[in-house]
Amino acid sequence: MSTKLLLCDCAGAQRVDADKIASACDATCSKVHTALCTRELETAAKFMQDGDVIVACGQEQEVFRNLAEELGVEAPGFVDLRDRAGWSDEGADAAPKMAALAAEALLPQPITPSVDVVSEGTCFIIGPGAVAFDLAERLSSTLAVTVLSTDDSEPMSRAYDVVRGRVRSLTGALGGFSLRLDALQQLEPGGRGAFAWSEPRDGAGSSCDIVLDLTGDTPFVQAPAKREGYLRADPKDTVAVERLAFEAAQLVGTFEKPLYVRMEETLCAHSRAEQVGCSNCLDICPTGAITSAGEHVSIDPMICAGCGECAAVCPSTAITYEDPPVAALLSRMHILARTYRRAEGQAPRLLVHDAHGAEMIRLSARFGRGLPAEVIPLELNVISGFGHSEMLAALAHGFARVDVLLTPTTERDALDRELALAEAIAGVGKLGLIDEADPDATSDQLYGQDVPAPLADTVLPLGNRRQIARLAAQVLNPQADAPLPLPEDAPYGAVAVNTDSCTLCLSCVSLCPSGALIDNPDMPQLNFQQDACLQCGMCRTICPEDAITLVPQLDLSDAALSQQVLNEEEPFACVECGALFGVKSTVERIMEKLSGTHPMFATSEQARMIQMCDNCRVNAQFQHQDNPFQSAPRPKVVTTEDYFSKRKDH
């Protein structure tokens, strides 16, 4: 049974064109109701009992969820047409946008994989005794509490454990924290008077499910606000400490932890043969969830906060984001742009935002100008991972412009970098970041934008992020007759080789993680396939002659997909058998340096071996007087006759 869209004009506060929405997004729509959440609630109940429905209301979701629970049916879906389209200075022209938003709501979305995290309520409080003991007293009835007192305060209760010391290190997340403690002293409860303490010792270990940090000092973990189970407050702020107690009491049970990213170790270009290449994800991860693990990186899913920056800057697509996957995001952008055009819209703009941005849009709609009719909002869980591939793909889908609405807590490192890369490929004026905390100012900026013309012939980019970016770049630059210059940290580019310095040792080939540098088994030759190059710099690092330079650029021609020769030389012919081996210039250079000067090649006969292939050189060594492979003569085999002959002699 198809899903039905229940439309409502919110007491006549907006204009809703049911026929245009139905025809543009191929959906079954109800008539336009006026008060579905109040007077016409029985009508909504009938629709919900008849099958799957999506209610075109964002404000009264709880009303319809409670109704579904009372009816014993599945809760409906929701799409907010009012705040994102209808309530606007241009609401009368918002029918194409309403159709696009309705079509997006009808699109099924994948479920993010997750893992269960179990917290049994083992709590570790770190801070001065005056605050920590009082907090522990109140939490001890619901949590198993241990207090690490950072001063000499004396505990007066045995309802919780108390130790003294300092934290050397703290790792892990909710349900799996590990602590390393120095100067640890444990309380000795026996005896009269003040409690006694054990002798301090270093290197003690402990584990817990929840950590409450009341030190008021530097946090023990990176990005403490993003570390689940790590709660922190200023000990002087009574309200913050009370809030901490409430939050800690809720962190007991089994929780679902989304697996935000997926790692394909074989594609990682982090390191080869102890030579470090790419470290983009290590440098940008705000929580420290990514660590080096030899030739690839390792991601701790319990620490990962799901910002997506690592996937955005990964040059090889070894790290992919799963909340949502890039394919699902592209499907949403495609359906938005396609439906908008089918509803006779002309030049749609895309506004990418998160939950904070959604609230700004609602405030602007209720009290301000709202969004322009051609600005289509796209809400994501996080926006910091919206990289250059997604920006270019949106333009290729037919959006005239793409803006990302920042929030005060947005991680901007990847966004700034990815925007610069996307602008180098697509050109200026088509992409931007909106950094406004005022909803009215945000609306004014959107209304005042100069909007370029969208693509006349749109495409549907598919594949991984590199393939998406290349396909989008080709349609955005149809007349490009030369490679596009890119910023220094771009993941696309060429390798320039100084042929005067290069000796064709092929060290670069052996370390290239993507196979962009290739040798020729039949002759001394260094080949290069530009489309595969990650610009990781490993070839430049390993080159003993410093002959390699990276050239960040994007070649959109077919030549980038095939091999090109960077350097080649004539092979040397063996003076014995004529077989081709090595590089002629290298052999001649070695002859010039070693022949007649080095003790091992003092004679012409010895020097001649430099000009032999491997097989002939081994044969010559065996026949040489100073054969290094020669052993002592084999002793004569003793037989029975030898023993008899000795007896006769005696």
Side-chain angles (χ1 to χ4, degrees):
M1 184 179 295
S2 62
T3 302
K4 191 163 190 176
L5 185 64
L6 303 188
L7 300 176
C8 180
D9 63 11
C10 195
Q14 61 176 334
R15 181 185 300 177
V16 180
D17 190 335
D19 293 335
K20 179 167 283 190
I21 292 174
S23 61
C25 62
D26 295 327
T28 303
C29 296
S30 71
K31 72 171 188 177
V32 179
H33 298 274
T34 298
L36 268 179
C37 60
T38 54
R39 298 192 308 271
E40 298 174 277
L41 194 59
E42 290 185 4
T43 303
K46 184 179 181 303
F47 280 118
M48 291 165 63
Q49 288 175 316
D50 290 343
D52 293 337
V53 297
I54 292 180
V55 182
C57 178
Q59 176 178 289
E60 302 298 328
Q61 293 186 23
E62 285 304 313
V63 171
F64 296 104
R65 288 197 181 99
N66 292 335
L67 177 60
E69 187 176 351
E70 291 176 8
L71 297 173
V73 298
E74 187 175 349
F78 298 94
V79 56
D80 184 1
L81 300 183
R82 186 194 69 183
D83 294 339
R84 300 194 290 171
W87 280 3
S88 163
D89 284 1
E90 299 178 350
D93 302 320
K97 178 161 68 166
M98 287 186 178
L101 295 173
E104 182 201 12
L106 292 167
L107 190 67
Q109 293 298 311
I111 298 175
T112 303
S114 62
V115 63
D116 286 344
V117 175
V118 178
S119 172
E120 297 178 346
T122 305
C123 179
F124 203 84
I125 302 176
I126 309 169
V131 180
F133 295 155
D134 179 63
L135 183 60
E137 186 73 35
R138 283 177 286 135
L139 288 175
S140 59
S141 60
T142 56
L143 304 176
V145 180
T146 298
V147 175
L148 175 65
S149 177
T150 56
D151 57 20
D152 295 332
S153 299
E154 292 289 339
M156 298 304 295
S157 173
R158 296 297 295 141
Y160 47 87
D161 292 329
V162 180
V163 295
R164 288 177 178 172
R166 62 178 180 272
V167 179
R168 180 198 299 178
S169 64
L170 173 63
T171 58
L174 176 66
F177 283 104
S178 295
L179 300 100
R180 187 64 59 184
L181 309 174
D182 286 340
L184 178 69
Q185 293 180 282
Q186 292 178 288
L187 186 145
E188 296 179 352
R192 187 179 181 184
F195 290 120
W197 298 87
S198 65
E199 290 296 321
R201 60 190 182 94
D202 295 337
S206 183
S207 60
C208 62
D209 299 317
I210 308 163
V211 173
L212 304 186
D213 181 2
L214 300 176
T215 60
D217 204 347
T218 304
F220 298 109
V221 297
Q222 289 181 239
K226 297 178 181 293
R227 186 68 62 95
E228 293 175 347
Y230 181 84
L231 307 178
R232 183 167 173 258
D234 185 343
K236 299 177 183 178
D237 189 340
T238 306
V239 175
V241 173
E242 289 297 325
R243 188 182 300 115
L244 218 62
F246 175 78
E247 293 176 2
Q250 311 306 310
L251 296 179
V252 180
T254 301
F255 305 88
E256 280 192 358
K257 169 70 175 179
L259 300 176
Y260 296 108
V261 296
R262 181 167 55 87
M263 176 72 193
E264 180 57 58
E265 297 175 355
T266 57
L267 298 178
C268 183
H270 172 55
S271 174
R272 294 292 185 276
E274 299 184 355
Q275 298 294 323
V276 177
C278 174
S279 60
N280 289 353
C281 59
L282 289 166
D283 298 336
I284 210 164
C285 179
T287 63
I290 305 177
T291 54
S292 175
E295 294 194 346
H296 57 83
V297 298
S298 176
I299 303 176
D300 188 336
M302 298 298 104
I303 298 177
C304 174
C307 69
E309 288 190 295
C310 55
V313 301
C314 179
S316 66
T317 70
I319 301 177
T320 52
Y321 196 63
E322 298 291 306
D323 187 34
V326 65
L329 178 55
L330 261 61
S331 295
R332 292 173 64 187
M333 293 192 294
H334 170 64
I335 201 73
L336 287 170
R338 186 189 70 177
T339 308
Y340 186 87
R341 290 192 300 270
R342 290 179 63 178
E344 301 176 356
Q346 297 301 317
R349 289 180 275 162
L350 187 68
L351 180 63
V352 182
H353 63 90
D354 58 9
H356 184 278
E359 182 62 24
M360 291 180 64
I361 292 171
R362 286 191 288 269
L363 291 172
S364 176
R366 180 171 288 275
F367 302 106
R369 304 176 67 185
L371 297 179
E374 69 275 9
V375 173
I376 303 178
L378 174 66
E379 183 173 352
L380 302 177
N381 293 329
V382 292
I383 57 176
S384 49
F386 194 80
H388 73 278
S389 300
E390 291 84 352
M391 296 177 188
L392 297 174
L395 296 175
H397 282 307
F399 287 100
R401 181 181 171 90
V402 179
D403 287 289
V404 180
L405 179 57
L406 304 178
T407 70
T409 59
T410 300
E411 300 287 348
R412 291 195 53 165
D413 292 343
L415 277 174
D416 290 336
R417 172 175 167 172
E418 294 296 288
L419 177 64
L421 176 56
E423 284 188 327
I425 297 173
V428 297
K430 300 177 182 179
L431 303 160
L433 303 179
I434 299 179
D435 191 4
E436 285 287 353
D438 183 359
D440 290 335
T442 299
S443 294
D444 292 341
Q445 184 170 336
L446 290 170
Y447 276 99
Q449 282 181 342
D450 293 327
V451 183
L455 285 176
D457 298 320
T458 61
V459 298
L460 179 60
L462 298 173
N464 61 36
R465 276 180 159 167
R466 290 182 66 87
Q467 294 165 337
I468 291 167
R470 180 176 178 81
L471 289 171
Q474 286 177 327
V475 72
L476 291 169
N477 299 274
Q479 306 300 325
D481 54 2
L484 305 175
L486 301 180
E488 285 298 323
D489 54 2
Y492 315 101
V495 169
V497 174
N498 184 342
T499 55
D500 293 333
S501 302
C502 177
T503 62
L504 286 172
C505 67
L506 302 181
S507 298
C508 53
V509 172
S510 62
L511 259 65
C512 182
S514 63
L517 291 167
I518 312 139
D519 66 344
N520 186 338
D522 299 324
M523 64 179 300
Q525 192 177 74
L526 176 62
N527 298 312
F528 176 68
Q529 183 173 329
Q530 186 168 163
D531 178 58
C533 181
L534 307 176
Q535 295 284 287
C536 65
M538 214 174 296
C539 55
R540 180 179 57 188
T541 301
I542 196 62
C543 180
E545 309 298 338
D546 293 328
I548 292 179
T549 304
L550 301 181
V551 183
Q553 64 179 32
L554 182 59
D555 189 348
L556 301 176
S557 68
D558 292 341
L561 306 177
S562 57
Q563 296 182 20
Q564 60 181 6
V565 178
L566 295 183
N567 192 18
E568 63 179 339
E569 288 196 36
E570 182 183 351
F572 191 85
C574 175
V575 295
E576 287 289 326
C577 67
L580 300 179
F581 76 99
V583 182
K584 184 176 181 181
S585 63
T586 301
V587 174
E588 291 175 348
R589 192 179 305 114
I590 294 173
M591 285 286 296
E592 180 182 349
K593 288 186 177 182
L594 299 182
S595 180
T597 59
H598 196 281
M600 289 187 63
F601 306 100
T603 67
S604 59
E605 182 181 356
Q606 292 171 320
R608 194 169 185 269
M609 279 192 274
I610 299 175
Q611 301 173 295
M612 297 181 187
C613 65
D614 292 343
N615 292 334
C616 294
R617 191 178 302 117
V618 171
N619 290 333
Q621 287 283 8
F622 269 111
Q623 298 172 7
H624 199 273
Q625 184 176 0
D626 297 330
N627 178 12
F629 307 105
Q630 186 176 14
S631 59
R634 180 180 296 178
K636 179 183 176 182
V637 178
V638 180
T639 64
T640 306
E641 291 297 328
D642 294 326
Y643 287 106
F644 286 144
S645 63
K646 289 181 180 180
R647 290 181 181 179
K648 292 177 182 179
D649 293 340
H650 292 287

